[in-house]
Amino acid sequence: MFYICSEKHSDKVRRRRKENAVKMGKMAMESSFMVFVCLIYCVSSSLTQAQVFDVTKYGAKADGSTDMAQAMKTAWTEACASPSPSTILIPRGTFLMSQVSLGGPCKSSMAVQLQGTVKAPADPAQTKGDSWIVIRNINGFKLNGGGTFDGQGKIAWTKNDCHLKKKCTNLPINLRFDFVTNALIQDITTLDSKQFHVNVLGCKNITFQHVTVTAPGDSPNTDGIHIGRSNGVTIVDSIIQTGDDCVSIGDGSQQINITGVTCGPGHGISVGSLGKWKNEEPVVGIFVKNCTITGTMNGVRIKTWPASPAGIATDMHFEDIIMNDVGNPVLIDQEYCPWNQCTDGVPSRVKVSKVSFKNIRGTSSTQVAVQLSCSKALPCEEVELADIDLTFHATNGTATSVCDNIKPVISGTQNPPICSTTSTAQPA
Ligand SMILES: *[C@@H]1O[C@H](CO)[C@@H](O)[C@H](O)[C@H]1NC(C)=O
Ligand SMILES: *[C@@H]1O[C@H](CO)[C@@H](O)[C@H](O)[C@H]1NC(C)=O
Ligand SMILES: *[C@@H]1O[C@H](CO)[C@@H](O)[C@H](O)[C@H]1NC(C)=O
Ligand SMILES: *[C@@H]1O[C@H](CO)[C@@H](O)[C@H](O)[C@H]1NC(C)=O
């Protein structure tokens, strides 16, 4: 009896223990699930809900005349010191802002959301040096919002003396990115810069997407996006209308991808000019693809100065490009010498190699549609042309090509016939 009873008793105890264990397990699971949910929520909200710093809370006024530079700097300083990701908001409206330099390193990633229009002072004398807005030394940066940076360049353009002097007066660049890593610039317009619109220097992994650049076709040196000494720059689905190169790629540029860019007016998409200065770094890995170029002075070109120090430009590819009424649509010019500022007759020592031009079609506004003028000292090597179909639409004649110091590999459509005769004609 006792034995049975004790058996029953121990059964009960065991069952209760088991029930308790299950309950406690459930509770433990529930609470750890809650902790897990909280973790996900907290982490994701800290990732997505950036702290917002609205410049109007720092004294900026959307009246088009109060200088918001100090408000911008203070907002930046506070945002930069914040341990969570920060967004500086410039809301709708028109703001005036004098020169600012916004630097890192910052505690976390930074973003600027520009919804309105920010104008530069029109008088270039009010800006020291060669930049209006500088973003520098920062890892993790975003700029977006659909707004406009207006450089108000009209007065400054009349003071441009680059056609007179090799080292010309510094006029401010709208936007400079100096030593910026992992950045995304999206849905931004830059308008009427006094000089280059955007300058990219010492950057790594920076993308420009849906960027619009607008300046008159006769505004001097208003290059759209200039890249130098940077690795991993992508320009995609953007519209660039300007008075100089739509995109220019300077020394030390590596892994540059330009896709879906609509260019013109302007001077086209250029590698160079290279070989103007000492100690220039190699240009390696340029991919220009699916672009439309309209009414420009040049199409896709590589330009180097004569009498240059030694240099390298290699692995450059231009593919699927439509030319509408473009001067010099395909151009390698190793005697680039605007305004005759160079030593006559001394060849360039920039070595150009591994270049391809593929599927380039449309109309040329100059009779010479393909010009490949390479250096007498260092002929171009491993140049490939395939499916070139360019017509010269004047009544005066058909499109031609000029080839110097080059033996390209040619395939597919060849309009004009390429390098069928060699000539010593000078670049147009
Ligand atoms: C490049 O930068 C973008 C934008 O900040 C970032 O999302 C991406 O992860 C970066 N890529 C690499 C390879 O670091
Ligand atoms: C650029 O494009 C090339 C070829 O399309 C690709 O191999 C490369 O990864 C791209 N580079 C960048 C930085 O996007
Ligand atoms: C080519 O670029 C245009 C923008 O100019 C874009 O709409 C189109 O989708 C691109 N095509 C390809 C195949 O990338
Ligand atoms: C055609 O040739 C004539 C004479 O060489 C020249 O004056 C004229 O500008 C040319 N027209 C075009 C459209 O190139």
Side-chain angles (χ1 to χ4, degrees), residues 181-201:
T181 303
N182 301 324
L184 181 58
I185 317 304
Q186 257 178 331
D187 304 305
I188 284 293
T189 296
T190 146
L191 177 67
D192 291 347
S193 182
K194 295 180 177 73
Q195 215 222 108
F196 294 179
H197 280 83
V198 176
N199 191 77
V200 177
L201 174 72

Side-chain angles (χ1 to χ4, degrees), residues 162 165-167 271-277 280 302-311 333-343 346-352 375:
C162 290
K165 294 190 259 176
K166 192 167 175 179
K167 202 166 190 326
V271 175
S273 56
L274 301 175
K276 189 175 182 180
W277 311 107
E280 290 189 359
I302 298 165
K303 50 180 174 171
T304 79
W305 290 75
S308 74
D333 179 4
Q334 293 212 258
E335 295 182 350
Y336 177 73
C337 185
W339 317 302
N340 296 315
Q341 295 167 350
C342 34
T343 322
V346 183
S348 176
R349 290 203 295 130
V350 177
K351 177 81 185 179
V352 173
S375 167

Side-chain angles (χ1 to χ4, degrees), residues 50-117:
Q51 217 180 323
V52 176
F53 298 77
D54 182 336
V55 291
T56 60
K57 303 275 191 309
Y58 293 83
K61 289 193 174 64
D63 59 5
S65 60
T66 306
D67 184 2
M68 68 166 266
Q70 195 51 54
M72 187 69 193
K73 287 180 205 167
T74 310
W76 180 274
T77 304
E78 284 189 18
C80 184
S82 161
S84 58
S86 303
T87 297
I88 294 174
L89 173 68
I90 305 172
R92 279 172 220 287
T94 301
F95 298 84
L96 177 73
M97 186 169 79
S98 60
Q99 187 165 31
V100 293
S101 178
L102 307 169
C106 295
K107 287 245 170 72
S108 186
S109 63
M110 296 281 284
V112 173
Q113 192 177 1
L114 172 67
Q115 295 175 346
T117 294

Side-chain angles (χ1 to χ4, degrees), residues 392 394-396:
F392 176 53
T395 48
N396 281 12

